[in-house]
């Protein structure tokens, strides 16, 4: 990826010094936030003689008003009257006295720039200004309405945690922290977006992560210069290696357990405020085919499920193009009875097989999009009923053959087995490309398309890691294949993936097999139970 230009001088934040005159500071804030009716500026006085002037500034709807009322205003205006500081020194130490002994909040911060203070107010904090002092006190008071923690919609599991990310970044990072109680887990915040100033949390485990990957992620984040970041896909598209490719090089997830598992493997996670989707990098083709539930099921069940998923992938990619190629160019490859049946069903179809397949695939894509836009049971009903009604009507009208309906149905069902939506989108794009090549050259066109697809996947990289690992290097090293097409029992996965070039390679120490421990400690008891 080409290195992006650094931020220009005119995009740097403007430093506005804080005046000792309270009214001057309030005037500057009003000029910056002009025509912002939700900005609240509350001036008040404290002290027995009401001779110390303060001002609170916050955004209505973004703060916890009860917290500010009880622990800032009441503490200063009411409780402060019961204290009797030295009258000769209270004036010069008013700021320090308020910070260290007047506001019973756990998180307060000093600010000496008015522009930074305004940015904090826009982020949901409250600032406290003092008359006669050129410092501003920032009090943590964020309290905007937020969606509760619920089960992820796009990554539902039968067995596993039911909590998913929300649109609040602090909540999301805490869900990950809850699963990794390790001081080596590092979290670094930065703001991206000149106007949105979106909080982005970079998370990694210091002694596991590949420092080269971490450095590359930081450099690409620092190179982003954009007005606003409204969703994690903005950042994903700006830092990925090959933006032309239809396949994602960064994995997205709304599951905290998936983020924790990736961090334990040595990956880097980005948690972006205002979106429930976190980003994981580097990503490989293999990791995009894996589901969290694969690790919560018994190894035999996960073994079979991954085999089914591996079989479904070529079906979702190749079935329509194979139908076009065989019916148009190579009918002799089919058994005689099947070839005669397909020919008989297509007697009344007025279109060639490519147009027939394209009509049905395009119709299914429209139904899929309609079902997505209409959420809930109605969307599901539209997808199912629409597919059945339109398919049956198309067959009766003689537009498509019954066999084509079977092919499209198998293709659609197979695509639903893929756990990552972005990967499914890439497969759908290549499916149409292979259909075009099959209509032109038959099986030869499919062969050319598959070679181009394989060459593209092998050439891709995700933050320096080959995209087709561990398959591209399995001749030299078989160890990473134990968690690829199939999943072996945990006792065989003692090392982290080698292709990630992690620091701490061992995740499970060599220990005695549990069966031998049972034999040594419980053999006599087993005989007793047998009696």
């Amino acid at each position: 990826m080409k290195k992006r230009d650094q931020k220009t001088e005119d995009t740097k934040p403007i430093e506005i010094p804080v005046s000792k005159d309270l009214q001057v500071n309030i005037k500057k804030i009003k000029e910056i936030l002009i025509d912002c009716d939700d900005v609240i500026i509350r001036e008040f006085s404290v002290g027995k003689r009401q001779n110390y002037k303060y001002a609170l500034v916050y955004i209505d709807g973004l703060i916890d008003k009860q917290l500010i009322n009880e622990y800032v205003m009441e503490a200063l205006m009411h409780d402060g009257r019961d204290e009797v500081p030295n009258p000769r020194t209270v004036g010069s130490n008013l700021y320090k006295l308020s910070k260290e002994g007047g506001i019973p909040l756990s998180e307060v911060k000093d600010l000496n720039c008015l522009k930074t203070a305004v940015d904090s107010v826009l982020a949901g904090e409250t600032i406290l200004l003092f008359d006669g002092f050129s410092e501003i006190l920032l009090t943590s008071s964020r309290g905007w309405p937020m969606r509760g923690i619920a089960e992820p919609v796009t990554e539902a599991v039968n067995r596993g945690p039911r909590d998913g990310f929300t649109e609040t970044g602090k909540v999301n990072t805490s869900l990950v922290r809850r699963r990794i109680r390790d001081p080596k887990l590092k979290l670094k915040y930065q703001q991206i977006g000149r106007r949105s100033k979106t909080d982005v949390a970079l998370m990694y485990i210091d002694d596991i992560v590949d420092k080269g990957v971490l450095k590359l992620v930081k450099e690409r984040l620092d190179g982003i210069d954009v007005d606003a970041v409204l969703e994690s896909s903005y950042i994903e598209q700006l830092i990925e290696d090959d933006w032309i490719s239809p396949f994602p090089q960064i994995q997205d997830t709304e599951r905290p357990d998936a983020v924790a598992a990736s961090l334990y493997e040595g990956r880097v996670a980005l948690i972006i405020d205002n979106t429930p989707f976190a980003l994981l990098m580097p990503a490989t083709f293999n990791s995009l085919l894996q589901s969290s539930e694969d690790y919560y099921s018994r190894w035999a069940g996960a073994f079979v499920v991954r085999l089914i998923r591996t079989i479904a992938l070529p079906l979702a990619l190749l079935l329509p193009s194979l139908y076009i190629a065989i019916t148009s160019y190579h009918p002799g490859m089919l058994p005689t009875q099947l070839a005669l049946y397909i020919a008989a069903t297509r007697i009344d179809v007025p279109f060639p097989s490519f147009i027939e397949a394209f009509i049905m695939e395009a119709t299914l894509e429209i139904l899929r999009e309609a079902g997505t836009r209409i959420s809930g049971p109605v969307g599901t009903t539209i997808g199912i009923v629409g597919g059945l009604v339109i398919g049956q009507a198309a067959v009766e009208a003689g537009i498509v053959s019954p066999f084509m309906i079977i092919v499209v149905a198998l293709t659609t069902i197979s695509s639903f087995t893929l756990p990552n939506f972005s990967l499914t989108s890439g497969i759908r794009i290549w499916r149409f490309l292979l259909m075009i090549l099959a209509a032109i050259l038959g099986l030869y066109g499919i062969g050319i398309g598959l070679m181009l697809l394989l060459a593209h996947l092998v050439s891709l990289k995700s933050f320096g890691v080959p995209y087709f690992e561990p398959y591209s290097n399995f001749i030299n090293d078989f160890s990473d294949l134990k968690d690829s097409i199939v999943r072996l029992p945990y006792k065989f996965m003692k090392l982290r993936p080698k292709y990630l070039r992690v620091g701490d390679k061992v995740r499970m120490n060599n220990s005695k097999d549990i069966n031998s421990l049972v034999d040594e400690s419980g053999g006599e008891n087993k005989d007793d139970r047998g009696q």
Side-chain angles (χ1 to χ4, degrees), residues 102-120:
I103 301 177
L105 288 178
S106 60
E107 187 177 349
V108 292
K109 187 185 299 184
D110 297 312
L111 298 177
N112 53 16
C113 173
L114 207 58
K115 182 63 171 62
T116 304
V118 171
D119 291 341
S120 300

Side-chain angles (χ1 to χ4, degrees), residues 490-495 505-511:
Y490 282 121
K491 61 183 295 184
F492 295 105
M493 294 191 289
K494 298 177 180 178
L495 301 178
K505 298 179 175 58
V506 180
R507 58 181 166 190
M508 184 187 304
N509 288 324
N510 294 324
S511 58

Side-chain angles (χ1 to χ4, degrees), residues 262-275:
S262 297
L263 292 173
Y264 280 128
E265 281 193 341
R267 304 179 195 272
V268 179
L270 289 179
I271 295 181
I272 296 93
D273 197 20
N274 301 318
T275 174

Side-chain angles (χ1 to χ4, degrees), residues 17 69 83 140 170 180 224 267-268 288 305 344 357 415 518 531:
N69 291 338
E83 303 296 330
S140 180
K170 293 283 188 180
I180 306 178
I224 295 177
R267 304 179 195 272
V268 179
L288 296 173
V305 168
S415 66
V518 171
Q531 294 175 1

Side-chain angles (χ1 to χ4, degrees), residues 11-160:
T11 61
K12 292 182 178 179
I14 302 173
E15 297 291 336
I16 302 178
V18 181
S19 172
K20 289 187 177 183
D21 190 333
L22 179 62
Q23 295 303 319
V24 171
N25 292 328
I26 292 176
K27 182 180 178 181
K28 289 180 180 179
I29 292 175
K30 288 182 177 179
E31 290 175 353
I32 297 173
L33 299 175
I34 188 173
D35 293 333
C36 297
D37 293 340
D38 57 346
V39 176
I40 307 299
I41 300 178
R42 172 71 161 88
E43 299 182 55
F44 60 97
S45 302
V46 301
K48 291 187 176 182
R49 298 181 180 179
Q50 300 289 296
N51 54 339
Y52 302 115
K53 306 295 183 182
Y54 290 77
L56 276 174
V57 183
Y58 59 88
I59 300 289
D60 189 20
L62 293 186
I63 70 158
D64 185 346
K65 287 187 177 181
Q66 183 177 359
L67 184 147
I68 292 299
N69 291 338
E70 292 183 3
Y71 297 101
V72 177
M73 297 193 68
E74 183 177 354
L76 292 174
M77 298 175 68
H78 181 268
D79 298 344
R81 296 182 182 180
D82 297 333
E83 303 296 330
V84 189
N86 187 342
R88 297 181 180 179
T89 59
V90 66
S92 59
N93 294 327
L94 181 62
Y95 179 83
K96 184 178 179 181
L97 183 65
S98 300
K99 176 185 176 183
E100 299 181 359
I103 301 177
L105 288 178
S106 60
E107 187 177 349
V108 292
K109 187 185 299 184
D110 297 312
L111 298 177
N112 53 16
C113 173
L114 207 58
K115 182 63 171 62
T116 304
V118 171
D119 291 341
S120 300
V121 170
L122 294 174
E125 307 289 10
T126 301
I127 60 173
L128 184 62
L129 297 94
F130 303 80
D131 191 24
F133 293 85
S134 58
E135 291 88 7
I136 297 176
L137 197 62
L138 182 145
T139 62
S140 180
S141 59
R142 296 183 181 184
W144 54 72
M146 66 178 185
R147 179 171 63 94
I149 297 174
E151 184 176 359
V153 177
T154 60
E155 299 174 85
V157 296
N158 293 316
R159 179 176 181 177

